[in-house]
Amino acid sequence: MPAVSKGDGMRGLAVFISDIRNCKSKEAEIKRINKELANIRSKFKGDKALDGYSKKKYVCKLLFIFLLGHDIDFGHMEAVNLLSSNKYTEKQIGYLFISVLVNSNSELIRLINNAIKNDLSSRNPTFMCLALHCIANVGSREMAEAFAGEIPRILVAGDTMDSVKQSAALCLLRLYKTSPDLVLMGEWTSRVVHLLNDQHMGVVTAAISLITCLSQKNPDEFKTCVSLAVSRLSRIVSSASTDLQDYTYYFVPAPWLSCKLLRLLQCYPPPEDGAVKGRLVECLETILNKAQEPPKSKKVQHSNAKNAILFEAISLIIHYDSEPNLLVRACNQLGQFLQHRETNLRYLALESMCTLASSEFSHEAVKTHIETVINALKTERDVSVRQRAADLLYAMCDRSNAKQIVAEMLSYLETADYSIREEMVLKVAILAEKYAVDYSWYVDTILNLIRIAGDYVSEEVWYRVIQIVINRDDVQGYAAKTVFEALQAPACHENMVKVGGYILGEFGNLIAGDPRSSPLVQFNLLHSKFHLCSVPTRALLLSAYIKFINLFPETKSTIQEVLRSDSQIRNSDVELQQRAVEYLKLSSIASTDVLATVLEEMPPFPERESSILAKLKKKKGPGAVSVNELEEGKREGGELNGGGERGGDSSAISTPSPSADLLGLRAGPPVTAAAPSAGSLLVDVFSEAGVNDDGFLSSAPPSVVSEDPAPPLPESNELLNKFVCKNNGVLFENQLLQIGIKSEYRQNLGRMYLFYGNKTSVQFVTFTTTVTCPGELQSHILHIHTWNSLEPLIEGGAQVQQVINIECLTDFSDAPLLNIKFRYGGALQNLTLKLPVTINKFFQPTEMASHDFFQRWKQLSLPQQEAQKIFKANHAMDTEVLKAKLLGLGMALLENVDPNPENFVCAGVIQTKAQQVGSLLRLEPNAQAQMYRLTVRSSKDTVSKRLCELLAEQF
Amino acid sequence: MIKFLLMVNKQGQTRLSKYYEQVELGKRAALEADVVRGCLARRKEECSFVEYKDYKLVYRQYAALFIVVGITENENELSIYELVHNFVEVLDKYFSRVSELDIMFNLDKVHIILDEMILNGHIVETNKNRILAPLLALDKMAES
């Protein structure tokens, strides 16, 4: 080794550094530095031309001062001058200064480029390397423009020195990252890929970074690198540790290169070529085997290097997710690390296992380690390791172990670090919901969550528990009981009060039978928390009180007393005051019936993606949690719970809504139950996304579309007819788009799910939909609420869902129009369809005996009440098909009513908001003539006519 | 990829910093202080990988000197951990038992060594002899 004389040749610099080191205070240091800066400035400005050595010395000092954290605003020119020196040390300091201090848009770039150009053409490898390093470090646009063409040539030229090739590879990578448009690989591609075969390991190491980056951007062009990488890896893995001499690190052959090769392979799917794949699997097996062998050295460096390769190999195995054997082996090996004494290994094993848990092949194997992981969560002394353990528990959770895992996570939460509590809370809430078989367990879990970590329970979490309790009547009583007990605690979290207020307000009656939780006890308990709560919670409690008046008339006077007190009715908060005044008025003037209607139990919430999950996704970024399973689970659950419909928002004030904002209350007086005007169809569109955010009807502005909607498609009537007798199916399909429909109706309300599927591989942009009611509908229409915040993007192959709520106000004939606009590859697509909402959807079937039927038939004998049509059969006259269609129509199909068994008779009542329209139908097929006679009688002429028109197309 | 490499002493003074991604000068000091505080606060038995903002820190302590490397998600932690050691071994070989003072007084040489090992946030060379070759050639020139 050379004797390193400190400060080697630059005494002034050494003295300066010593001075700085001897400074006792920051002030002294600054003083010394300012003195030096003044000195250097005067030297640079002085008349005497400085020689190379002095310039180097001063530039070096400036560099040192900069590294101490002081701004340097001069000396750049001198540094640039040093570049053209012939002395290596001077040139090197110049380049160093520029790499560290010159940012890419400096005006000196042109001068610097000039110097670089000279060095690149000097054919002196050390100078070339310096120049390439400088380009790699600065990497500005100007540099890319000047050198992007030159560098690939240097990289692949046969006579380039190895060290220069290495620098050139990474230099090119930098330019590719900053200005991809200037780096055209085209003709060089294959030669660059073949650098993987270079006999020099250093060149391979450098080239592989470049190839990895290029492969990520253009996987097809660089596909050939897979087989080359596999053979290179195989040669390294199977070599004895002495073969690679200097590239062996503590008896491990080329650990860094191996990692990089394995990383490169992760840019591609498993090799298709059987031989290549076989070789690769063999490599991976060898790596797993070697990790099990007794160590060749006791040094930690040896095992670290070996394990670095092992972890990278496991990443590749997980990436392929196709070799069950390897996956399970990987899992076992990681399992051993879970109890390793090296914290680093435990950390990495937990992290790696987290991804293994999501593979179907290794999920079970991962689960066997549950005890160890739980133990890690409890005993690890390092928060980052505990965090990994919690992540892994979340990932390995399924139906079989959910209760255990949730219990462990809850108990950990009591002592968890503040930094991770919120995330833990979300995770517990999600697991509890996802795997709840028994919903009382779910309720217990969430209430515990609020009790233990109330501050970290975000709104989404408690909204969600309320949504679930409302939608599932089997758990409501239990929820009321539990929340009542939880509220007994002397100090309970405000979130608990919110949940308590909401649930008791809705379901307090379910526990009121017990004298220990009689209505008044419930009320007093809630009210005892009132004064400690914030305004939104108080508002929610007030709504709960008015609900109490409805549930328990005996509490009316007590509650009115409270509402009447000055602290409520004169409250300085407008919202509270308004609620107090209005509720007080409502409770005193409305009749019991009106009260019961207005304060009816909340209808079930529309099912949608859990808002908590959305929040976790937001926290972790997309792709961090696997959501498919839960979403599917929810959809099924949705059908079980579903069927309920939300009233249109002007028709009922219902409950303290989770967003603590009573529906419509802000906008107007509470009793808007009587619809302000007569109309025919209220279509209320809100998309999933719009509702998600605050758990309720949020108010994204109605979308404004500039282009006029296209006229309805010519086939839209036909499409509409397809849906008269059925509720689900594909409404529309062309080469780009498929629209599916699922709908359900009850009484005068309906909910329609629209599924927009992108059939192409290209995304649709500015995707908007609007529902309008044309013509006559329009003039009668009350409101159209369009919360149309559907994601404006639909990825290729993806599907988005929209929900439309429909309320039928009076009978109607025309169908609402659905207009869809989006851009596909720049071209505007604009199409209008008829939304298959027909009057018969609101039928309520009525069973009646033969006698009744004919009596009513006679009652509807006015000529305009009857509509009749005689028409030719369009389809085969199959009795079963006819029956199915008539049932699909929504009326009751009455057997043994008509004396002629060939005939069909049906009865039903159309439910509209304004009135009920009873309808009777008789269909007489004539098989010989292939004709039908259809007669419809109903109490309203327009209905008869419309039904007749609709049905005539069906048979 | 590697975002930055820092050498910091226990007092929190930066002895060497190398950024492979543009970080504003003003923000560097804050980042360095933050990073050092994070690492100093950790005990021996805690693991050497820390999540910090959107990247990970891999650190290793040598006497009073910390070497901290900021890496992106897709980098192999252990291989970086050993890269740090390899770097220190190269410094050791060149300075024969390297100390904080060697690094301060020979900053240019430490930079040359680092540039031979990491370029642009990617590993270029891991072979000790080849890393030192240009520097040794340089010393020979200086002697003659």
Side-chain angles (χ1 to χ4, degrees):
Chain A
M1 281 302 96
V4 183
S5 51
K6 303 252 154 83
D8 156 55
M10 290 196 281
R11 271 194 58 78
L13 179 64
V15 170
F16 173 59
I17 294 175
S18 304
D19 282 359
I20 295 284
R21 276 181 53 78
N22 291 334
C23 285
K24 292 282 181 290
S25 66
K26 195 79 196 164
E27 288 71 32
E29 186 184 307
I30 291 174
K31 217 173 135 196
R32 177 70 184 85
I33 284 171
N34 284 339
K35 186 179 151 206
E36 193 62 38
L37 284 175
N39 172 36
I40 298 171
R41 206 174 262 130
S42 74
K43 291 283 192 227
F44 282 168
K45 281 209 181 124
D47 308 329
K48 218 172 70 187
L50 290 173
D51 57 5
Y53 167 77
S54 316
K55 262 190 220 160
K56 175 182 113 179
K57 185 175 74 182
Y58 294 129
V59 169
C60 212
K61 278 183 182 174
L62 287 178
L63 199 56
F64 182 80
I65 293 171
F66 173 75
L67 289 174
L68 286 174
H70 300 266
D71 212 6
I72 298 295
D73 55 3
F74 68 102
H76 300 73
M77 201 57 208
E78 285 71 15
V80 173
N81 284 339
L82 284 175
L83 295 185
S84 45
S85 161
N86 278 329
K87 289 211 175 99
Y88 180 87
T89 48
E90 288 169 19
K91 199 187 267 294
Q92 189 253 333
I93 292 287
Y95 273 123
L96 184 58
F97 184 93
I98 284 158
S99 302
V100 176
L101 260 137
V102 174
N103 53 26
S104 44
N105 45 20
S106 162
E107 52 216 43
L108 291 171
I109 287 287
R110 261 186 335 114
L111 289 172
I112 298 169
N113 275 359
N114 230 344
I116 291 175
K117 198 166 274 164
N118 290 334
D119 283 334
L120 282 185
S121 51
S122 70
R123 309 194 59 77
N124 173 337
T126 37
F127 286 7
M128 286 174 89
C129 278
L130 279 180
L132 288 167
H133 283 196
C134 181
I135 301 174
N137 280 322
V138 178
S140 67
R141 184 84 195 164
E142 287 86 350
M143 282 191 175
E145 275 163 4
F147 304 111
E150 177 70 14
I151 292 166
R153 217 187 314 274
I154 298 177
L155 177 60
V156 296
D159 58 348
T160 308
M161 297 272 293
D162 292 331
S163 58
V164 178
K165 274 190 191 170
Q166 285 172 280
S167 306
L170 285 155
C171 181
L172 195 57
L173 172 57
R174 171 63 187 257
L175 296 186
Y176 182 75
K177 278 185 178 164
T178 47
S179 320
D181 53 318
L182 294 178
V183 180
L184 303 169
M185 291 312 296
E187 44 179 325
W188 310 109
T189 305
S190 124
R191 294 178 74 182
V192 169
V193 171
H194 275 86
L195 288 173
L196 286 175
N197 259 342
D198 199 288
Q199 53 177 336
H200 194 279
M201 301 278 272
V203 174
V204 186
T205 311
I208 199 165
S209 293
L210 174 66
I211 294 169
T212 305
C213 177
L214 291 168
S215 304
Q216 280 162 347
K217 296 278 158 57
N218 334 283
D220 286 342
E221 285 170 47
F222 284 84
K223 230 173 19 209
T224 44
C225 72
V226 173
S227 59
L228 289 175
V230 169
S231 64
R232 188 88 212 192
L233 181 68
S234 155
R235 268 179 281 158
I236 297 173
V237 168
S238 55
S239 69
S241 56
T242 47
D243 287 2
L244 297 165
Q245 294 151 4
D246 287 345
Y247 285 90
T248 300
Y249 179 80
Y250 289 90
F251 305 103
V252 182
W256 292 284
L257 183 53
S258 307
C259 286
K260 286 186 155 201
L261 285 164
L262 288 162
R263 178 67 67 179
L264 170 62
L265 290 171
Q266 286 171 57
C267 301
Y268 288 93
E272 281 154 20
D273 183 336
V276 178
K277 187 167 185 195
R279 203 163 174 197
L280 177 56
V281 169
E282 210 172 286
C283 281
L284 293 172
E285 275 168 353
T286 315
I287 293 171
L288 290 173
N289 290 340
K290 279 197 175 174
Q292 296 286 47
E293 283 170 11
K296 293 203 178 75
S297 150
K298 286 223 169 64
K299 283 259 170 53
V300 67
Q301 284 78 7
H302 170 70
S303 60
N304 276 345
K306 217 161 68 169
N307 291 330
I309 301 173
L310 176 67
F311 278 113
E312 207 55 67
I314 291 176
S315 288
L316 182 63
I317 293 170
I318 296 170
H319 169 76
Y320 285 164
D321 197 12
S322 60
E323 299 285 329
N325 261 340
L326 291 175
L327 281 162
V328 171
R329 277 198 67 186
C331 182
N332 294 340
Q333 219 131 7
L334 291 176
Q336 294 171 7
F337 287 155
L338 288 181
Q339 282 163 309
H340 203 279
R341 61 191 159 76
E342 284 274 324
T343 316
N344 289 346
L345 286 183
R346 295 199 301 277
Y347 174 92
L348 293 171
L350 287 166
E351 186 179 58
S352 205
M353 231 182 214
C354 216
T355 38
L356 267 180
S358 54
S359 161
E360 52 169 323
F361 300 113
S362 48
H363 184 76
E364 287 302 316
V366 171
K367 272 168 65 188
T368 58
H369 299 287
I370 184 168
E371 296 301 335
T372 323
V373 181
I374 287 175
N375 198 37
L377 186 64
K378 285 180 178 159
T379 57
E380 276 295 345
R381 296 171 67 180
D382 179 351
V383 54
S384 31
V385 184
R386 289 198 296 273
Q387 171 79 63
R388 288 287 144 284
D391 286 350
L392 177 54
L393 280 179
Y394 178 76
M396 66 161 71
C397 190
D398 63 16
R399 222 167 268 291
S400 69
N401 53 19
K403 285 200 176 178
Q404 185 187 9
I405 286 179
V406 166
E408 292 297 346
M409 284 172 99
L410 268 178
S411 73
Y412 172 61
L413 203 50
E414 304 208 35
T415 53
D417 313 76
Y418 295 105
S419 53
I420 66 172
R421 280 197 185 182
E422 190 182 351
E423 201 185 315
M424 290 283 295
V425 166
L426 289 175
K427 285 184 167 166
V428 170
I430 288 169
L431 291 180
E433 180 184 342
K434 189 167 165 185
Y435 298 115
V437 186
D438 148 17
Y439 275 83
S440 53
W441 171 71
Y442 169 74
V443 170
D444 282 341
T445 306
I446 301 294
L447 293 185
N448 265 330
L449 210 50
I450 297 179
R451 202 171 42 72
I452 295 169
D455 281 341
Y456 298 89
V457 173
S458 56
E459 291 186 327
E460 286 83 355
V461 173
W462 75 263
Y463 288 177
R464 191 70 190 155
V465 68
I466 282 170
Q467 284 171 14
I468 284 178
V469 170
I470 295 221
N471 287 10
R472 303 197 61 97
D473 39 21
D474 50 334
V475 75
Q476 290 162 354
Y478 182 80
K481 181 168 156 284
T482 325
V483 81
F484 177 77
E485 280 161 10
L487 285 173
Q488 309 273 355
C492 58
H493 195 271
E494 188 163 337
N495 280 336
M496 187 71 90
V497 179
K498 288 180 184 163
V499 175
Y502 200 110
I503 288 184
L504 292 180
E506 291 289 325
F507 308 115
N509 55 330
L510 300 176
I511 55 166
D514 189 327
R516 285 168 299 176
S517 54
S518 71
L520 223 47
V521 175
Q522 286 185 36
F523 171 73
N524 287 333
L525 180 62
L526 279 181
H527 198 53
S528 69
K529 315 282 180 197
F530 188 89
H531 306 280
L532 304 169
C533 294
S534 62
V535 168
T537 310
R538 288 187 193 193
L540 188 150
L541 285 177
L542 287 179
S543 299
Y545 297 169
I546 185 76
K547 287 238 153 186
F548 264 56
I549 293 187
N550 175 45
L551 288 180
F552 317 116
E554 67 266 38
T555 58
K556 186 169 170 178
S557 58
T558 320
I559 291 175
Q560 282 182 331
E561 201 61 40
V562 169
L563 292 176
R564 206 177 288 127
S565 73
D566 278 357
S567 61
Q568 305 299 353
I569 213 157
R570 301 230 169 111
N571 195 297
S572 60
D573 185 273
V574 182
E575 177 68 28
L576 291 180
Q577 191 187 84
Q578 188 180 6
R579 286 191 190 213
V581 170
E582 286 174 355
Y583 290 160
L584 183 60
K585 209 69 191 157
L586 179 64
S587 68
S588 38
I589 57 171
S591 70
T592 341
D593 283 353
V594 171
L595 215 54
T597 320
V598 173
L599 300 171
E600 200 183 1
E601 190 178 297
M602 278 296 274
F605 286 85
E607 273 309 320
R608 52 189 173 230
E609 185 193 340
S610 161
S611 47
I612 321 175
L613 205 55
K615 168 135 184 176
L616 186 67
K617 272 193 271 183
K618 224 187 287 166
K619 246 181 114 62
K620 289 232 133 180
V625 270
S626 108
V627 294
N628 296 341
E629 212 180 320
L630 179 55
E631 277 169 353
E632 279 161 26
K634 277 303 102 193
R635 209 143 288 150
E636 286 161 27
E639 272 157 38
L640 291 176
N641 305 340
E645 49 280 310
R646 296 182 20 71
D649 53 349
S650 66
S651 62
I653 24 162
S654 314
T655 296
S657 84
S659 54
D661 171 25
L662 272 189
L663 291 180
L665 248 196
R666 276 207 186 122
V671 194
T672 46
S677 65
S680 34
L681 188 66
L682 177 71
V683 180
D684 172 353
V685 186
F686 50 90
S687 73
E688 296 281 275
V691 190
N692 259 345
D693 294 346
D694 62 1
F696 233 71
L697 304 176
S698 68
S699 49
S703 65
V704 182
V705 188
S706 54
E707 297 93 341
D708 289 331
L713 292 177
E715 67 267 32
S716 60
N717 268 325
E718 217 174 290
L719 297 172
L720 177 75
N721 281 329
K722 266 179 30 190
F723 281 85
V724 169
C725 293
K726 63 176 186 178
N727 287 337
N728 305 332
V730 175
L731 174 64
F732 174 78
E733 182 157 27
N734 64 11
Q735 275 132 3
L736 307 177
L737 178 73
Q738 187 191 51
I739 306 174
I741 280 201
K742 220 166 100 179
S743 47
E744 48 199 34
Y745 293 88
R746 191 187 286 179
Q747 301 192 332
N748 70 324
L749 300 173
R751 184 183 304 140
M752 185 175 280
Y753 296 86
L754 289 165
F755 302 91
Y756 304 96
N758 180 346
K759 289 170 67 181
T760 68
S761 52
V762 184
Q763 58 177 209
F764 293 162
V765 295
T766 59
F767 190 94
T768 54
T769 62
T770 18
V771 176
T772 51
C773 297
E776 203 202 350
L777 277 182
Q778 177 101 46
S779 59
H780 285 266
I781 231 51
L782 270 181
H783 317 279
I784 299 174
H785 298 286
T786 315
W787 283 275
N788 201 348
S789 47
L790 260 183
E791 282 292 315
L793 272 189
I794 305 185
E795 293 297 342
Q799 193 187 55
V800 298
Q801 185 186 351
Q802 187 180 30
V803 184
I804 301 181
N805 276 5
I806 301 155
E807 185 178 9
C808 177
L809 301 176
T810 71
D811 68 289
F812 61 97
S813 307
D814 279 335
L817 297 179
L818 170 68
N819 177 254
I820 299 147
K821 287 207 197 76
F822 59 93
R823 284 184 184 277
Y824 166 73
L828 177 75
Q829 307 288 324
N830 182 350
L831 55 105
T832 301
L833 297 166
K834 290 196 170 174
L835 209 54
V837 181
T838 46
I839 186 69
N840 64 298
K841 299 294 178 194
F842 303 98
F843 257 134
Q844 192 93 330
T846 320
E847 292 289 347
M848 55 181 79
S850 169
H851 170 74
D852 292 333
F853 182 83
F854 285 107
Q855 197 183 357
R856 291 192 193 189
W857 186 264
K858 273 182 211 139
Q859 283 168 357
L860 300 168
S861 58
L862 292 174
Q864 66 268 32
Q865 286 177 330
E866 182 181 286
Q868 193 173 66
K869 241 187 184 166
I870 299 171
F871 53 92
K872 233 182 149 46
N874 290 321
H875 307 281
M877 295 172 97
D878 184 315
T879 318
E880 290 310 309
V881 174
L882 284 176
K883 275 189 181 169
K885 282 193 175 165
L886 288 169
L887 282 172
L889 187 66
M891 299 173 87
L893 182 60
L894 305 175
E895 304 276 356
N896 307 323
V897 167
D898 198 290
N900 180 350
E902 300 288 62
N903 292 350
F904 299 93
V905 292
C906 303
V909 179
I910 290 175
Q911 305 276 348
T912 72
K913 186 156 183 150
Q915 65 185 130
Q916 300 192 335
V917 185
S919 304
L920 302 172
L921 172 151
R922 191 174 191 197
L923 182 69
E924 297 158 274
N926 180 337
Q928 242 170 351
Q930 290 286 306
M931 299 282 275
Y932 291 100
R933 181 165 71 181
L934 173 70
T935 317
V936 180
R937 285 187 178 187
S938 60
S939 53
K940 209 169 171 195
D941 51 356
T942 45
V943 173
S944 306
K945 220 170 127 243
R946 179 63 183 157
L947 280 175
C948 207
E949 280 167 17
L950 283 172
L951 282 174
E953 304 295 328
Q954 299 301 316
F955 303 106
Chain B
M1 72 172 270
I2 300 169
K3 295 277 188 181
F4 58 80
L5 184 143
L6 303 176
M7 289 175 106
V8 203
N9 66 13
K10 268 192 163 171
Q11 288 75 48
Q13 294 165 301
T14 307
R15 289 305 176 213
L16 175 136
S17 69
K18 182 87 186 172
Y19 289 84
Y20 298 101
E21 196 188 50
Q22 201 70 38
V23 177
E24 274 174 55
L25 299 185
K27 288 190 180 148
R28 288 187 185 187
L31 180 129
E32 284 164 22
D34 221 20
V35 163
V36 176
R37 217 175 302 124
C39 294
L40 280 175
R42 294 174 65 83
R43 288 164 300 186
K44 268 253 157 61
E45 71 272 8
E46 295 189 39
C47 77
S48 321
F49 318 123
V50 193
E51 270 152 74
Y52 176 76
K53 299 196 176 151
D54 40 356
Y55 35 81
K56 261 190 189 161
L57 304 176
V58 174
Y59 71 93
R60 221 165 160 156
Q61 188 182 356
Y62 294 90
L65 205 60
F66 280 88
I67 300 182
V68 189
V69 188
I71 55 171
T72 53
E73 272 295 307
N74 56 14
E75 196 62 69
N76 182 313
E77 292 95 343
L78 270 184
S79 85
I80 297 298
Y81 187 70
E82 284 311 313
L83 181 74
V84 170
H85 190 72
N86 199 28
F87 174 50
V88 172
E89 284 187 352
V90 173
L91 294 179
D92 243 5
K93 189 166 174 181
Y94 183 74
F95 293 107
S96 42
R97 295 195 61 75
V98 67
S99 72
E100 193 179 336
L101 287 182
D102 291 323
I103 292 164
M104 288 180 67
F105 284 103
N106 298 283
L107 206 53
D108 51 335
K109 294 193 169 141
V110 179
H111 268 283
I112 295 177
I113 291 174
L114 192 56
D115 276 350
E116 290 297 322
M117 295 185 71
I118 306 172
L119 193 53
N120 239 320
H122 295 275
I123 304 171
V124 254
E125 185 57 81
T126 56
N127 174 338
K128 294 192 187 80
N129 295 328
R130 282 182 50 85
I131 294 168
L132 288 177
L135 205 51
L136 296 179
L138 203 64
D139 289 333
K140 229 173 243 152
M141 271 171 14
E143 272 166 32
S144 60

